[in-house]
Amino acid sequence: MIRLDRVTVRYGHGRNAIAAASDISFAVAPGAAFGLVGESGSGKSTVLRSIAGLIPHAEGQVQLGGAAMPPQRNRAQRRLVQMVFQDPYGSLHPNQTVDQALASPLRIQGLDGGEQRIATALREVGLGPEHRFRFPHQLSGGQRQRVAIARALIVAPRILLLDEPTSALDVSVQAEILNLLVRLRRERGLTLLMVSHDLAVIAHLCDRVGVMQHGALVELTSSDALAAGAVTHPHTLELLRSNAGYDMRGAEAARFEA
Amino acid sequence: MSGAPLLCVRNLRVTYPSAQGDTHAVRDVSFTLGRERLGIVGESGSGKSTTGRAIMGLVPPPGRVTADELRLGELDLCRLSERGFRQLRGRRVAMVLQDPKYALNPVMSIGRQISETHRAHVGGGKPAARRAALEMLEAVRIRDPERVFTLFPHEVSGGMGQRAMIAMMLIANPEVLIADEPTSALDATIQTQVLAILDELVRGRGMGLILISHNLHLVSAFCDRVLVMYAGRVVETCEAGKLREAKHPYTRGLLDALPELGRRRELLPQLQRDPAWADGA
Ligand SMILES: Nc1ncnc2c1ncn2[C@@H]1O[C@H](COP(=O)(O)OP(=O)(O)OP(=O)(O)O)[C@@H](O)[C@H]1O
Ligand SMILES: Nc1ncnc2c1ncn2[C@@H]1O[C@H](COP(=O)(O)OP(=O)(O)OP(=O)(O)O)[C@@H](O)[C@H]1O
Ligand SMILES: [Mg+2]
Ligand SMILES: [Mg+2]
């Protein structure tokens, strides 16, 4: 469903250009869930943005549903893949109500039955009708993230890209959202690609996992291998070590280093 | 906890009135904060951020804040004017907001925002402020401070924005820091490093820290005490290290809902809410 073939993405021009993702290749089968982890700034969001067609890639090829994506995507190609952004506040327009935020992708895609679709999408993410006409600042962080997920789901995409979808959520809503994603995957055959720094969240939802560092994909592994600690790259091991909350030894080392 | 409390909160209430009825975002919350790490956990909408904002005088209108007592050291925050709060904010109490991209000024470079904060609160000239800002960026583990100094908020990754925000809040050396999900966009390694910096400030300079987080593992391992909030109330207070043994069914439900590495469950148990909890049961 998703295939990246030696994709490189650069920001900036000339001397100031940096390769935020270099030479990335991996594939995700239809209906599968793939997780992307790695240190901050390693290029995870960049990879998602290039799959979503939000930024051009300098080299390589992105294939979705078996077709190579052109630099300018058409409406159907854009509908195929939807993204939930890392920063729910930034991605929701402050002057738009929830209702308007959900109506606009329907309008762009020329889909009808808006009334019904909006009500269903809100229910699916566990928001009540009382939230429908609120502005983003009148919602809690978790409620805003659910709006962002509802907005991605409302055009019924086949691929959903999720950038830290639960990092702003409390554990009870996180459980609801993870259960929702499991259900969507099962019922609709949705293909998922999720970025998270919480390895337990990744292992819960995903079968296969890619590990990034400094813009490169340094290890491809499975959730089972992660859980068993059967990974090889030092960065993966480091992520695994500091995953169990606040790592006192890591903190001591950091203090020492500082 | 040592010495007199830095912050006293007794029966804090915050209400947002609206045509559809009032939202009681915070209901009779009481706690004190010493030179310690106090965690606040609780589900989305339970009033954690609103509690922090009330202490900062940042509850937006038409929100109403009342309290039997709200005191920072000797200073009565209940009687403080907006002008008084403006002088206080950043200098004596600072808050790392939950949404860094929103909290940072989108049209000013990160370096300039941090150095101007330094000049406003600490004084000194531009070169000193620049040096201090670069040091702070380095302290929060920004890999290339000189480059990041010149970048605008939309040009940095989520975790870098969050650390820039932390740098800006710490540069004036506040007595009390309220950190609202300060590390939710950070990977575990950098999260540990950023928390080590906060820890250093609590131990070394006697700062009081309120850490708002939904990450129960993190709060349990990092903090001294934890308040558990539900529907605007504190339903349980416990020693952080004993969070896993918490008694309240709500806290137990939160712990159960956590995915665990190596213990894969098809579906996670979702919280079954009991209406009685909202009344302080
Ligand atoms: N618009 C931009 N202009 C210039 N550089 C950018 C831009 N967006 C991202 N970068 C840089 O690209 C690199 C990768 O950023 P990216 O957002 O993909 O990281 P990430 O892995 O998602 O990190 P995080 O976990 O912190 O969100 C970083 O060094 C970042 O500063
Ligand atoms: N400006 C506002 N106007 C109206 N209601 C608001 C406003 N800000 C917050 N609320 C409501 O107050 C309640 C508490 O919100 P708050 O942001 O404090 O929750 P929180 O515990 O920080 O949640 P999260 O973990 O999702 O950030 C929620 O029901 C929210 O919808
Ligand atoms: Mg990112
Ligand atoms: Mg909040």
Side-chain angles (χ1 to χ4, degrees):
Chain A
M1 196 69 205
I2 306 174
R3 175 180 291 280
L4 267 67
D5 200 14
R6 315 205 62 169
V7 168
T8 294
V9 182
R10 294 199 184 88
Y11 292 112
H13 296 283
R15 239 163 15 99
N16 292 325
I18 65 154
S22 25
D23 209 12
I24 306 288
S25 305
F26 65 86
V28 187
F34 185 86
L36 211 48
V37 300
E39 65 178 357
S40 174
S42 60
K44 306 179 298 294
S45 299
T46 300
V47 169
L48 291 202
R49 276 184 225 127
S50 77
I51 296 172
L54 300 173
I55 42 170
H57 43 279
E59 286 157 41
Q61 197 182 58
V62 174
Q63 279 182 32
L64 300 178
M69 291 293 117
Q72 287 299 324
R73 296 189 188 177
N74 63 31
R75 195 150 98 174
Q77 285 166 337
R78 284 201 304 270
R79 182 177 173 186
L80 190 64
V81 47
Q82 293 290 317
M83 176 155 167
V84 175
F85 293 89
Q86 185 166 5
D87 169 21
Y89 205 101
S91 70
L92 295 177
H93 195 289
N95 298 328
Q96 266 189 356
T97 62
V98 171
D99 183 71
Q100 289 167 324
L102 296 183
S104 82
L106 293 175
R107 203 173 41 247
I108 292 166
Q109 285 296 334
L111 298 172
D112 47 17
E115 180 58 36
Q116 193 52 44
R117 284 182 200 260
I118 292 175
T120 309
L122 285 176
R123 203 175 47 242
E124 265 188 333
V125 298
L127 288 172
E130 72 274 20
H131 298 107
R132 180 159 169 183
F133 296 98
R134 289 207 196 166
F135 290 96
H137 73 269
Q138 294 169 322
L139 298 169
S140 75
Q143 290 164 340
R144 290 200 288 267
Q145 188 62 306
R146 284 186 269 176
V147 174
I149 293 177
R151 186 180 53 180
L153 288 177
I154 202 162
V155 301
R158 295 181 57 203
I159 302 170
L160 189 61
L161 308 175
L162 302 137
D163 199 351
E164 304 278 7
T166 62
S167 75
L169 304 182
D170 69 83
V171 296
S172 68
V173 185
Q174 170 171 284
E176 287 164 25
I177 299 278
L178 290 175
N179 289 346
L180 168 71
L181 293 172
V182 167
R183 188 163 52 90
L184 287 168
R185 201 184 140 192
R186 204 168 45 206
E187 290 171 7
R188 294 198 194 166
L190 202 62
T191 305
L192 301 174
L193 201 168
M194 178 160 83
V195 168
S196 173
H197 51 254
D198 188 332
L199 298 187
V201 165
I202 290 282
H204 177 76
L205 191 72
C206 305
D207 324 303
R208 288 172 58 247
V209 184
V211 184
M212 289 189 71
Q213 188 183 29
H214 306 316
L217 191 65
V218 295
E219 184 162 6
L220 269 173
T221 181
S222 69
S223 289
D224 292 338
L226 263 188
V231 293
T232 51
H233 196 277
H235 186 51
T236 317
L237 288 164
E238 189 187 351
L239 292 175
L240 211 45
R241 211 166 32 240
S242 41
N243 189 59
Y246 180 65
D247 172 20
M248 287 298 176
R249 268 181 316 158
E252 287 304 324
R255 212 194 321 270
F256 199 67
E257 193 186 300
Chain B
M1 211 193 306
S2 58
L6 296 167
L7 185 70
C8 283
V9 178
R10 199 150 53 81
N11 292 331
L12 175 68
R13 287 174 293 269
V14 183
T15 306
Y16 292 108
S18 88
Q20 289 86 33
D22 295 357
T23 303
H24 299 282
V26 177
R27 303 187 298 156
D28 298 314
V29 163
S30 303
F31 65 89
T32 59
L33 175 75
R35 301 178 191 286
E36 63 177 327
R37 300 157 297 188
L38 177 70
I40 303 184
V41 298
E43 64 180 340
S44 176
S46 60
K48 306 182 298 294
S49 298
T50 305
T51 300
R53 277 192 222 117
I55 295 165
M56 298 290 292
L58 284 176
V59 169
R64 267 197 322 271
V65 181
T66 62
D68 292 346
E69 188 180 9
L70 191 56
R71 221 158 29 78
L72 179 71
E74 71 307 332
L75 190 66
D76 183 358
L77 300 181
C78 289
R79 290 165 194 280
L80 201 64
S81 64
E82 173 48 32
R83 204 182 117 94
F85 267 115
R86 265 204 301 277
Q87 284 175 353
L88 200 72
R89 279 198 292 267
R91 197 181 317 240
R92 293 191 58 192
V93 281
M95 182 161 173
V96 176
L97 294 174
Q98 193 166 1
D99 302 291
K101 290 262 166 71
Y102 173 65
L104 292 168
N105 182 344
V107 297
M108 202 194 274
S109 77
I110 285 182
R112 195 162 144 220
Q113 293 187 51
I114 301 174
S115 42
E116 289 200 350
T117 308
H118 183 266
R119 291 181 63 200
H121 293 307
V122 183
K126 271 192 185 165
R130 186 189 146 83
R131 257 197 320 277
L134 284 171
E135 271 169 27
M136 214 39 171
L137 285 172
E138 203 167 342
V140 293
R141 307 286 153 173
I142 295 275
R143 206 185 279 279
D144 185 356
E146 297 272 354
R147 182 176 81 92
V148 173
F149 191 91
T150 63
L151 297 180
F152 287 83
H154 71 273
E155 295 175 320
V156 298
S157 75
M160 286 155 88
Q162 213 161 36
R163 279 175 287 162
M165 179 78 202
I166 293 171
M168 195 159 95
M169 291 304 132
L170 290 180
I171 202 153
N173 200 5
E175 290 161 46
V176 172
L177 180 72
I178 303 171
D180 193 354
E181 301 283 2
T183 60
S184 62
L186 304 181
D187 65 82
T189 316
I190 292 173
Q191 168 173 297
T192 297
Q193 293 171 349
V194 166
L195 288 173
I197 298 162
L198 298 181
D199 189 44
E200 182 80 46
L201 291 169
V202 173
R203 291 172 199 243
R205 300 192 204 159
M207 188 179 79
L209 174 69
I210 298 179
L211 180 70
I212 298 174
S213 176
H214 57 83
N215 187 333
L216 299 169
H217 290 317
L218 182 143
V219 165
S220 164
F222 178 74
C223 292
D224 303 301
R225 278 191 307 144
V226 182
L227 307 180
V228 184
M229 284 188 75
Y230 177 73
R233 278 187 207 282
V234 175
V235 294
E236 185 166 17
T237 305
C238 65
E239 212 177 293
K242 300 217 168 99
L243 187 61
R244 259 161 259 242
E245 299 151 37
K247 297 274 169 352
H248 198 283
Y250 170 63
T251 318
R252 298 251 34 108
L254 293 179
L255 289 165
D256 260 356
L258 281 173
E260 267 176 81
L261 208 53
R263 180 168 160 245
R264 198 166 183 178
R265 296 165 284 181
E266 168 69 6
L267 291 178
L268 297 164
Q270 292 179 202
L271 201 60
Q272 303 303 318
R273 292 170 184 78
D274 182 340
W277 298 345
D279 304 319

